[in-house]
């Protein structure tokens, strides 16, 4: 068990002049207020804040952060107040405790609007004082280490949140040690069968692998000595989640993952990094295409290292990472190795540039009001890997992996993106959907008067490009809706010999407009153009009834009422539109929603309401005036067809087992498409009838447990 003295010794080692009295005082206070409290494991509760403080001490954080770690649960779990914390430990620690307490209350498993709001809170906390998120990461790391004591549903919920939110944040902050541990622990609870299989296979070959690591280490050490390169060499098996990702990405079983071992060579200076690389390539043949220079072009989280894979002893592929001691420190501790602690602010502008994505997220959270679009933007900026490309003048640009020339154009300037008609990469014309690679030199061809193409949304990757294209699409739709709405209103007024211009400026119109919560007349006319409000409905509220009577004419219905009445009873009530059931709905083929998905409706021209998943790219680009609230009618008993893709080994009897695993849950297979590949694998596409998203998850989990199954994923299109 970790003791206070262990933490004090660690802090003193990296900060000899640290005032440890505040840490000791925080420990005594935490011990007092947590007295009698226990964790699910039965251990005294105090162990958790101690372990959290220990993780931060390993990251070499400042004294206020260590003290906060010891106090971080006092306000939430005891009768302690923030005022007491400030009185005893000062304003800085109070603010940190307050920040961590607020972050601890954030849950990312609620509705989309709530998720977006929670992300905003987290971004604000990170921008205000980065130490808050570092303390939270340490807190989450220790909680994940002791997750087995919680009930299974809670374990899965916390593991999913950790994998989706906290591991990517640790990666973006460059804290690889925390990131890999969080990924492996989450993987253990989210995919227990696959984790167990990898663990068993790694353990079975442990002694043989240990000997191989020692043999390679000795050969490399002798080679470096011969070249007079002082260094530290270590070898390890890659962490389990990265092995699993490689199996999924390449659609291969464990036995075909060849580069399971990674070595680190840590040298004294930059020049020795390249000298060591040359010595390695002289010793063993490098694998083409597997060399990456992250020293010349660091990752977005400031990670620097040379990566190369060689054909080592016995023909095995071996990966090497070569870096200096300083680079190694940054790789392990990330932002904590850079931050100069003065109320969590960056001391140096150059250091701030290394983590400019935090500022970028802060800007986006101010600009984007739509929850779905904001979440899409955050996930792009927070969770993307990067490529590095050059402008024709040699300036280096950093973009998310998978970016295209359109993304590059928008990253330079919005006007260049809007007017882009073509691109050259390294002097050659390429399609606009070409995926950029690190080292490419990109030149954009523009034409004045050109506008964005909505099809670009299918392949652009950057949040800026997506936001600008969507903005243009919405404005274009808005103008079209306004034009139609004005024309419809003019025609309706003409029927009764009314002057539409005068009516739009009348007090009665303004009063009714405010009743419906429209800010301006144009917004109301757009709603008319989209069929959500009829021009006759407006007239009945702003003109005396006697002026609207035409002999022999029946009372008019609104267009929306017509949609409800004429197109009812077509879908068995699976979806309720604005609280009404039995409205004609269709389901977007672009995202194929199933009951349980978070959904939104889109008013089409004459075809009722199209239902989409909220984060569907088509919806994110749509005019918000055409969106309507929709909900699943879970009482209807009507199901939906979902599509899943299963990649597995091409093994006799496995298809029968997969079919059995699906039907045992009570799910019917309506269609199946099976393809065998040249590499002894099979791709299986199943169309299945399900009641809701939970039943779909059960099917996928059941399939994942089968031996020989490599990956299972939902296909939305």
């Amino acid at each position: 068990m970790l003791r206070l003295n262990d933490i004090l010794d660690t802090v003193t080692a990296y900060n000899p002049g640290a005032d440890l009295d505040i840490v000791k005082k925080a420990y005594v206070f935490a011990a007092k207020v947590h007295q009698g409290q226990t964790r699910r494991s039965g251990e005294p509760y105090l162990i958790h804040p101690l372990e959290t403080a220990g993780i931060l001490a390993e990251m070499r954080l400042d004294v206020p952060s260590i003290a906060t770690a010891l106090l971080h649960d006092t306000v939430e779990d005891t009768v302690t107040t923030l005022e007491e914390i400030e009185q005893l430990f000062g304003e800085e620690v109070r603010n940190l405790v307050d920040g961590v307490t607020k972050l601890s209350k954030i849950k990312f498993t609620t509705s989309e609007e709530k998720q977006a709001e929670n992300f905003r809170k987290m971004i604000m906390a990170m921008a205000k004082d980065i130490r808050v998120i570092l303390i939270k990461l340490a807190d989450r790391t220790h909680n994940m280490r002791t997750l087995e004591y919680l009930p299974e549903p809670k374990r899965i919920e916390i593991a999913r949140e950790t994998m989706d939110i906290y591991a990517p944040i640790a990666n973006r902050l460059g804290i690889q040690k925390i990131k890999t541990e969080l990924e492996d622990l989450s993987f253990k609870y989210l995919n227990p069968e696959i984790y167990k299989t990898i663990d068993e296979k790694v353990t079975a070959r442990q002694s043989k692998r240990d000997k191989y690591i020692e043999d390679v280490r000795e050969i490399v050490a002798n080679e470096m000595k011969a070249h007079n390169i002082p260094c530290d060499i270590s070898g390890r098996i890659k962490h389990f989640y990265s092995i699993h990702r490689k199996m999924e990405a390449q659609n291969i079983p464990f036995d075909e993952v060849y580069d399971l071992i990674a070595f680190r060579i840590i040298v004294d200076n930059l020049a020795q990094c390249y000298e060591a690389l040359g010595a390695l390539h002289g010793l063993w043949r490098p694998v083409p295409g597997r060399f990456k220079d992250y020293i010349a072009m660091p990752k977005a989280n400031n990670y620097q290292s040379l990566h190369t894979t060689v054909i080592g002893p016995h023909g095995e592929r071996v990966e090497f990472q070569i870096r200096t001691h300083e680079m190694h420190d940054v790789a392990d501790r990330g932002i904590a190795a850079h931050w100069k602690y003065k109320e969590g602010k960056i001391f140096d502008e150059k250091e701030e540039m290394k983590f400019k994505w935090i500022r970028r997220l802060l800007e986006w959270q101010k600009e984007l009001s739509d929850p779905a679009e904001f979440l899409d933007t955050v996930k792009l900026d927070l969770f993307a890997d990067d490529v590095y490309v050059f402008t024709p003048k040699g300036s280096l640009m950093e973009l998310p992996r998978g970016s295209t020339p359109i993304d590059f154009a928008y990253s330079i300037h919005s006007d260049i993106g809007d007017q882009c008609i073509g691109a050259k990469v390294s002097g050659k014309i390429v399609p606009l959907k070409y995926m950029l690679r690190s080292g490419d030199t990109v030149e954009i061809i523009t034409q004045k008067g050109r506008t964005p193409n909505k099809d670009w949304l299918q392949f652009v990757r950057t949040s800026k490009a997506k936001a600008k294209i969507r903005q243009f699409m919405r404005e274009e739709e808005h103008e079209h809706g306004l034009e139609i709405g004005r024309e419809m209103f003019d025609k309706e007024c003409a029927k009764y010999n009314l002057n539409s211009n005068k009516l739009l400026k009348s007090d009665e119109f303004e009063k009714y407009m405010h009743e419906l919560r429209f800010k301006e007349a144009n917004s109301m006319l757009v709603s008319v153009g989209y069929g959500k409000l009829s021009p006759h409905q407006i007239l009945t509220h702003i003109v005396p009834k006697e002026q609207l009577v035409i002999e022999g004419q029946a009372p008019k219905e609104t267009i929306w009422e017509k949609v409800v009445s004429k197109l009812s009873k077509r879908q068995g009530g699976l979806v309720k539109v604005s609280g009404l059931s039995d409205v004609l709905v269709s389901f977007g083929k672009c995202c194929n929603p199933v009951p349980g998905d978070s959904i939104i409706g889109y008013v089409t021209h004459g075809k009722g309401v199209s239902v989409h998943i909220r984060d569907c790219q088509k919806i994110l680009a749509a005019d918000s005036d055409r969106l309507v609230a929709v909900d699943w009618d879970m009482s209807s008993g009507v199901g939906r067809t979902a599509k899943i893709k299963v990649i597995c080994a091409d093994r006799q009897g496995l298809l029968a087992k997969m079919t059995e695993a699906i039907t045992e849950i009570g799910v019917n297979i309506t269609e199946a498409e099976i393809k065998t590949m040249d590499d002894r694998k099979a791709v299986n596409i199943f169309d299945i009838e399900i009641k809701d998203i939970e039943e779909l998850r059960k099917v996928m989990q059941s399939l994942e447990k089968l031996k020989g199954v490599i990956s299972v994923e939902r296909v939305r299109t």
Side-chain angles (χ1 to χ4, degrees):
M1 188 182 85
L2 189 69
R3 299 170 304 146
L4 176 65
N5 284 340
D6 298 327
I7 296 171
L8 297 177
D9 290 344
T10 303
V11 174
T12 303
Y14 66 80
N15 188 0
D19 177 11
L20 299 178
D21 287 344
I22 189 174
V23 179
K24 294 174 185 175
K25 188 177 177 182
Y27 172 77
V28 172
F29 183 83
K32 179 183 175 183
V33 298
H34 286 301
Q35 189 173 11
Q37 293 181 348
T38 57
R39 306 193 81 216
R40 290 290 184 101
S41 62
E43 296 174 320
Y45 193 87
L46 186 63
I47 287 176
H48 172 62
L50 260 176
E51 291 286 350
T52 302
I55 292 168
L56 293 177
E58 288 175 11
M59 292 166 62
R60 300 183 210 167
L61 260 70
D62 60 345
V63 165
S65 299
I66 306 294
T68 300
L70 292 166
L71 300 166
H72 77 274
D73 280 334
T74 56
V75 172
E76 190 172 5
D77 295 340
T78 75
V79 294
T80 306
T81 64
L82 286 169
E83 288 70 30
E84 283 181 81
I85 297 292
E86 183 172 358
Q87 188 178 1
L88 292 169
F89 302 99
E91 186 181 0
E92 186 177 5
V93 172
R94 178 217 192 267
N95 290 338
L96 287 172
V97 170
D98 185 31
V100 177
T101 301
K102 286 174 180 173
L103 278 189
S104 296
K105 292 177 181 177
I106 291 177
K107 305 295 179 190
F108 289 92
T109 52
T110 55
S111 68
E112 190 166 74
E113 287 81 359
K114 193 68 179 173
Q115 263 204 43
E117 183 57 34
N118 289 337
F119 265 113
R120 291 181 199 277
K121 289 176 183 175
M122 178 170 282
I123 291 162
M124 292 295 288
M126 289 167 67
K128 188 175 181 182
D129 193 328
I130 198 68
R131 291 175 294 180
V132 170
I133 196 67
L134 297 179
I135 297 164
K136 180 61 186 175
L137 284 172
D139 168 52
R140 179 53 62 104
T141 301
H142 183 249
N143 280 332
M144 288 299 295
R145 289 174 183 174
T146 55
L147 201 60
E148 73 263 26
Y149 297 105
L150 295 179
E152 185 180 7
K154 195 66 178 174
R155 287 201 303 263
I156 292 172
E157 178 189 328
I158 293 172
R160 172 54 59 199
E161 184 182 69
T162 302
M163 184 70 89
D164 290 347
I165 309 298
Y166 291 105
I169 286 175
N171 180 52
R172 253 318 197 167
L173 293 172
I175 313 169
Q176 294 303 304
K177 195 172 182 181
I178 296 288
K179 174 243 184 188
T180 53
E181 184 173 0
L182 290 180
E183 284 181 341
D184 271 1
L185 289 170
S186 300
F187 177 44
K188 179 180 178 181
Y189 294 105
L190 293 173
N191 301 92
E193 296 297 325
I194 299 175
Y195 182 94
K196 184 182 176 185
T197 300
I198 293 175
D199 186 25
E200 287 172 351
K201 296 200 173 192
V202 167
T203 304
R205 305 172 191 179
Q206 188 69 49
S207 57
K208 183 180 178 182
R209 193 169 287 109
D210 286 347
K211 185 179 185 310
Y212 186 84
I213 288 172
E214 185 52 38
D215 289 347
V216 171
R217 201 197 70 78
E218 188 176 340
I219 294 169
V220 174
N222 290 333
E223 188 70 15
M224 296 300 148
K225 190 175 181 181
H227 285 79
N228 198 27
I229 305 171
C231 62
D232 297 326
I233 305 167
S234 61
R236 59 174 177 81
I237 185 80
K238 290 184 176 179
H239 69 287
F240 288 5
Y241 183 62
S242 72
I243 294 172
H244 172 62
R245 276 177 54 189
K246 182 159 287 193
M247 290 166 63
E248 279 201 318
Q250 299 179 11
N251 295 331
I252 55 175
F254 178 87
D255 296 332
E256 292 179 27
V257 180
Y258 296 116
D259 49 348
L260 284 170
I261 301 170
F263 285 84
R264 284 184 190 141
I265 302 176
I266 302 175
V267 297
D268 294 335
N269 57 55
L270 179 63
Q272 289 173 349
C273 289
Y274 292 95
E275 289 172 21
L277 178 71
L280 261 183
H281 285 180
L283 186 62
W284 292 304
R285 184 165 57 86
V287 177
R290 293 301 306 273
F291 169 67
K292 293 185 178 75
D293 189 343
Y294 293 121
I295 294 178
M297 293 187 288
K299 290 187 177 184
N301 57 19
N302 204 39
Y303 172 88
Q304 288 184 290
S305 197
L306 297 177
H307 286 203
T308 188
T309 301
V310 300
I311 306 297
H314 313 304
E316 283 204 34
R317 292 188 177 198
V318 185
E319 182 183 300
F320 283 88
Q321 300 167 0
I322 307 168
R323 59 180 78 139
T324 65
H325 290 280
E326 183 184 353
M327 292 171 190
H328 183 61
D329 187 36
V330 171
D332 255 6
R333 299 197 295 124
I335 203 168
H338 291 282
W339 221 266
K340 311 301 180 189
Y341 295 100
K342 179 63 178 171
E343 297 178 356
K345 302 293 193 300
I346 292 179
F347 182 76
D348 187 333
E349 281 188 17
K350 289 182 181 177
E351 301 293 350
E352 183 169 13
M353 287 305 293
K354 293 172 182 174
F355 297 95
K356 61 182 180 292
W357 59 271
I358 297 176
R359 302 295 173 202
R360 193 165 64 221
L361 282 177
L362 191 63
E363 290 168 10
W364 280 117
Q365 75 92 20
K366 290 175 184 174
E367 286 186 26
L368 299 174
S369 57
D370 180 67
E373 189 170 350
F374 173 69
L375 282 176
D376 187 56
T377 299
V378 169
K379 288 170 183 174
L380 276 174
D381 269 9
L382 195 57
F383 308 145
D385 291 328
D386 301 289
V387 293
Y388 303 89
V389 295
F390 296 93
T391 67
K393 293 183 179 179
S395 298
L396 184 65
M397 303 286 289
E398 171 195 320
L399 296 167
R401 191 171 301 281
S403 290
T404 66
I406 296 292
D407 296 291
F408 178 87
Y410 275 106
S411 69
I412 295 172
H413 196 281
S414 298
D415 290 344
I416 294 176
D418 288 346
Q419 298 172 14
C420 176
I421 60 166
K424 290 182 180 179
V425 171
S426 303
K428 294 181 180 178
I429 295 283
V430 296
L432 290 177
K433 61 171 66 175
Y434 168 84
M435 289 174 62
L436 298 174
R437 301 172 186 169
S438 288
D440 282 345
T441 298
V442 188
E443 180 184 350
I444 300 299
I445 304 166
T446 60
Q447 186 179 87
K448 282 190 176 182
R450 291 300 290 265
T451 56
N453 187 323
K454 67 178 180 181
D455 292 337
W456 292 353
L457 284 171
Q458 303 303 314
F459 54 80
V460 294
R461 286 283 296 147
T462 58
S463 52
K464 183 175 183 180
K466 284 179 182 275
K468 292 297 180 184
I469 298 165
R470 287 170 185 156
Q471 181 183 345
F472 176 81
M473 295 291 102
R474 282 195 293 267
E475 288 173 359
E476 193 176 51
E477 278 201 356
H478 191 86
E479 288 299 317
H480 184 59
L482 177 59
E483 187 180 331
I484 294 173
R486 181 62 198 247
E487 185 180 342
M488 289 172 68
F489 186 73
D490 288 345
K491 284 182 178 179
E492 191 69 15
C493 290
K495 287 180 184 178
Y496 305 101
N497 295 317
L498 297 171
N499 187 314
S500 59
N501 288 327
K502 282 185 179 180
L503 288 177
L504 290 173
K505 295 174 183 176
S506 67
D507 292 339
E508 290 79 10
F509 181 87
E510 189 167 344
K511 182 182 176 183
Y512 185 52
M513 181 178 74
H514 290 311
E515 276 180 27
L516 297 182
R517 297 187 178 179
F518 288 107
K519 292 181 180 178
E520 57 180 9
N522 281 355
S523 298
M524 198 161 170
L525 291 173
V526 166
S527 195
V528 171
Y530 290 158
K532 294 171 77 173
L533 182 66
S534 82
H536 188 78
Q537 183 181 341
I538 297 173
L539 292 182
T540 57
H541 284 81
I542 67 173
V543 175
K545 287 185 179 180
E546 56 270 19
Q547 294 186 36
L548 299 178
V549 176
I550 297 177
E551 193 173 344
Q553 181 174 298
K556 282 183 171 282
E557 288 182 302
T558 67
I559 290 177
W560 188 244
E561 287 167 341
K562 288 179 181 177
V563 170
V564 174
S565 61
K566 287 187 177 181
L567 305 176
S568 62
K569 298 180 181 179
R570 296 289 296 275
Q571 286 293 327
L574 182 57
V575 169
K576 292 181 179 179
V577 181
S578 294
L580 302 169
S581 59
D582 293 339
V583 174
L584 174 69
V585 297
S586 59
F587 293 94
K589 293 180 180 178
C590 45
C591 55
N592 192 32
V594 298
D597 281 329
S598 179
I599 52 175
I600 190 79
Y602 177 78
V603 180
T604 64
H605 290 298
K607 296 180 182 178
V609 175
S610 177
V611 178
H612 296 257
I613 293 176
R614 277 186 173 271
D615 62 0
C616 172
Q617 293 298 321
K618 286 192 176 181
I619 287 299
L620 293 175
D623 188 338
S624 57
D625 286 339
R626 297 183 73 168
L627 302 180
V628 292
V630 293
D631 295 295
W632 295 106
D633 183 359
M634 303 307 280
S635 64
S636 69
V638 180
R640 284 274 295 151
T641 299
K643 194 182 290 286
I644 54 174
K645 180 168 79 171
V646 185
I647 297 174
C648 65
D650 185 9
R651 187 182 300 163
Q652 190 173 0
L654 188 52
L655 177 59
K657 287 181 180 178
M658 288 190 291
T659 305
E660 186 180 350
I662 295 171
T663 54
E664 273 185 352
I665 295 172
V667 170
N668 184 38
I669 302 171
T670 59
E671 191 175 328
E673 180 185 343
I674 317 297
K675 288 183 181 178
T676 56
M677 315 299 282
D678 294 336
D679 52 0
R680 293 181 289 119
K681 288 192 292 293
V683 178
N684 312 271
I685 308 291
F686 296 106
D687 285 6
I688 56 175
E689 286 183 347
I690 56 164
K691 293 196 296 282
D692 53 33
I693 194 77
E694 190 54 42
E695 193 167 60
L696 177 60
R697 287 196 191 101
K698 285 180 183 176
V699 170
M700 293 174 71
Q701 287 169 1
S702 180
L703 289 167
E704 284 175 345
K705 292 177 182 178
L706 296 177
K707 191 173 182 180
V709 169
I710 297 167
S711 67
V712 183
E713 64 177 280
R714 176 183 174 186
V715 181
R716 286 190 173 184
T717 53

